[in-house]
Amino acid sequence: MKNIYLLLLSFLLISCSFNQFYKDRESDKTDGEKIPIKFYWELRYGKNPDDIYKLFGEKFFEVTDKEKLVKLMNTVNAIGPVEEYNLAKWETMVVKGNNARSQYFFMYNVKRGTKKTEESFTLEKNKEGDIKIVGYRVNQDLLNE
């Protein structure tokens, strides 16, 4: 009987997953925010558009091909050049352990010439440990112009 209890206890421990969950840590914000900052730097000063595309992950390109991203970037740049951007909202979630994953969300208020946009980034850490953009959204209020 003792062996049965020991066997059941070992199956229970083997099937358990041990994870550490971190939400909205300042250190995770700092790690994730490097990507949107690099994105805006490349938009303002970069000479090679491929440097922007390298910031996007495979998950992004599963939904949106590179030609659509080029079209989106051209449309956004037609609104006006980035003059300033301010972080309006951020969220992070990092899970370490058996089911490890890292997800980040940043929303910026962006001044583009005389117009303003609200731009949000969804980021994830890939298997190599690099944080990549998996979602990019631009909102512009056309009624208040």
Side-chain angles (χ1 to χ4, degrees), residues 18-20 94-102 125:
F18 298 98
N19 292 316
Q20 292 178 316
V94 175
V95 178
K96 294 185 178 184
N98 295 349
N99 301 321
R101 68 180 184 275
S102 300
K125 190 176 280 189

Short mmCIF file of all heavy atoms in Angstrom, two decimals, residues 18-20 94-102 125:
data_model
loop_
_atom_site.label_atom_id
_atom_site.label_comp_id
_atom_site.label_asym_id
_atom_site.label_seq_id
_atom_site.Cartn_x
_atom_site.Cartn_y
_atom_site.Cartn_z
N PHE A 18 5.61 24.09 -12.70
CA PHE A 18 6.03 25.13 -11.78
C PHE A 18 6.37 26.38 -12.59
O PHE A 18 7.30 26.37 -13.39
CB PHE A 18 7.24 24.66 -10.97
CG PHE A 18 6.93 23.46 -10.13
CD1 PHE A 18 7.25 22.18 -10.56
CD2 PHE A 18 6.28 23.60 -8.91
CE1 PHE A 18 6.95 21.08 -9.79
CE2 PHE A 18 5.97 22.50 -8.13
CZ PHE A 18 6.31 21.23 -8.57
N ASN A 19 5.59 27.43 -12.38
CA ASN A 19 5.79 28.67 -13.11
C ASN A 19 5.84 29.84 -12.13
O ASN A 19 5.20 29.82 -11.09
CB ASN A 19 4.64 28.92 -14.10
CG ASN A 19 4.65 27.93 -15.24
OD1 ASN A 19 5.68 27.62 -15.80
ND2 ASN A 19 3.48 27.41 -15.57
N GLN A 20 6.59 30.84 -12.52
CA GLN A 20 6.59 32.11 -11.80
C GLN A 20 5.95 33.13 -12.72
O GLN A 20 6.32 33.23 -13.90
CB GLN A 20 8.01 32.54 -11.45
CG GLN A 20 8.67 31.67 -10.42
CD GLN A 20 10.09 32.12 -10.15
OE1 GLN A 20 10.84 32.42 -11.06
NE2 GLN A 20 10.46 32.16 -8.88
N VAL A 94 5.13 38.25 -17.82
CA VAL A 94 6.24 37.33 -18.03
C VAL A 94 5.99 36.11 -17.16
O VAL A 94 5.73 36.23 -15.96
CB VAL A 94 7.59 38.00 -17.67
CG1 VAL A 94 8.72 37.00 -17.76
CG2 VAL A 94 7.84 39.20 -18.57
N VAL A 95 6.06 34.94 -17.79
CA VAL A 95 5.92 33.68 -17.09
C VAL A 95 7.22 32.92 -17.27
O VAL A 95 7.67 32.71 -18.40
CB VAL A 95 4.73 32.85 -17.65
CG1 VAL A 95 4.64 31.51 -16.94
CG2 VAL A 95 3.43 33.62 -17.54
N LYS A 96 7.84 32.55 -16.16
CA LYS A 96 9.07 31.77 -16.20
C LYS A 96 8.78 30.39 -15.62
O LYS A 96 8.04 30.27 -14.66
CB LYS A 96 10.17 32.45 -15.38
CG LYS A 96 10.61 33.76 -15.98
CD LYS A 96 11.76 34.36 -15.22
CE LYS A 96 12.17 35.64 -15.91
NZ LYS A 96 13.34 36.23 -15.30
N GLY A 97 9.33 29.39 -16.26
CA GLY A 97 9.12 28.03 -15.78
C GLY A 97 8.82 27.10 -16.94
O GLY A 97 9.29 27.29 -18.05
N ASN A 98 7.96 26.10 -16.67
CA ASN A 98 7.63 25.10 -17.68
C ASN A 98 6.91 25.69 -18.88
O ASN A 98 7.11 25.27 -20.01
CB ASN A 98 6.77 23.99 -17.08
CG ASN A 98 7.50 23.20 -16.02
OD1 ASN A 98 8.71 23.33 -15.87
ND2 ASN A 98 6.78 22.39 -15.27
N ASN A 99 6.03 26.64 -18.65
CA ASN A 99 5.23 27.26 -19.72
C ASN A 99 5.68 28.71 -19.91
O ASN A 99 4.88 29.63 -19.87
CB ASN A 99 3.74 27.21 -19.38
CG ASN A 99 3.25 25.79 -19.21
OD1 ASN A 99 3.65 24.90 -19.93
ND2 ASN A 99 2.41 25.58 -18.21
N ALA A 100 6.97 28.91 -20.13
CA ALA A 100 7.53 30.25 -20.20
C ALA A 100 7.01 31.03 -21.41
O ALA A 100 6.87 30.48 -22.50
CB ALA A 100 9.05 30.17 -20.25
N ARG A 101 6.72 32.32 -21.17
CA ARG A 101 6.35 33.23 -22.25
C ARG A 101 6.46 34.66 -21.72
O ARG A 101 6.37 34.90 -20.52
CB ARG A 101 4.97 32.95 -22.81
CG ARG A 101 3.83 33.24 -21.87
CD ARG A 101 2.49 32.91 -22.57
NE ARG A 101 1.38 33.27 -21.73
CZ ARG A 101 0.86 32.52 -20.78
NH1 ARG A 101 1.39 31.35 -20.51
NH2 ARG A 101 -0.16 32.93 -20.07
N SER A 102 6.69 35.57 -22.63
CA SER A 102 6.79 36.98 -22.27
C SER A 102 5.99 37.78 -23.29
O SER A 102 6.21 37.66 -24.49
CB SER A 102 8.25 37.44 -22.30
OG SER A 102 9.01 36.70 -21.37
N LYS A 125 8.45 37.69 -26.71
CA LYS A 125 9.83 37.19 -26.74
C LYS A 125 9.80 35.86 -27.48
O LYS A 125 9.02 34.97 -27.17
CB LYS A 125 10.36 37.01 -25.32
CG LYS A 125 11.85 36.73 -25.26
CD LYS A 125 12.35 36.64 -23.84
CE LYS A 125 12.56 38.03 -23.28
NZ LYS A 125 13.25 38.00 -21.97
#
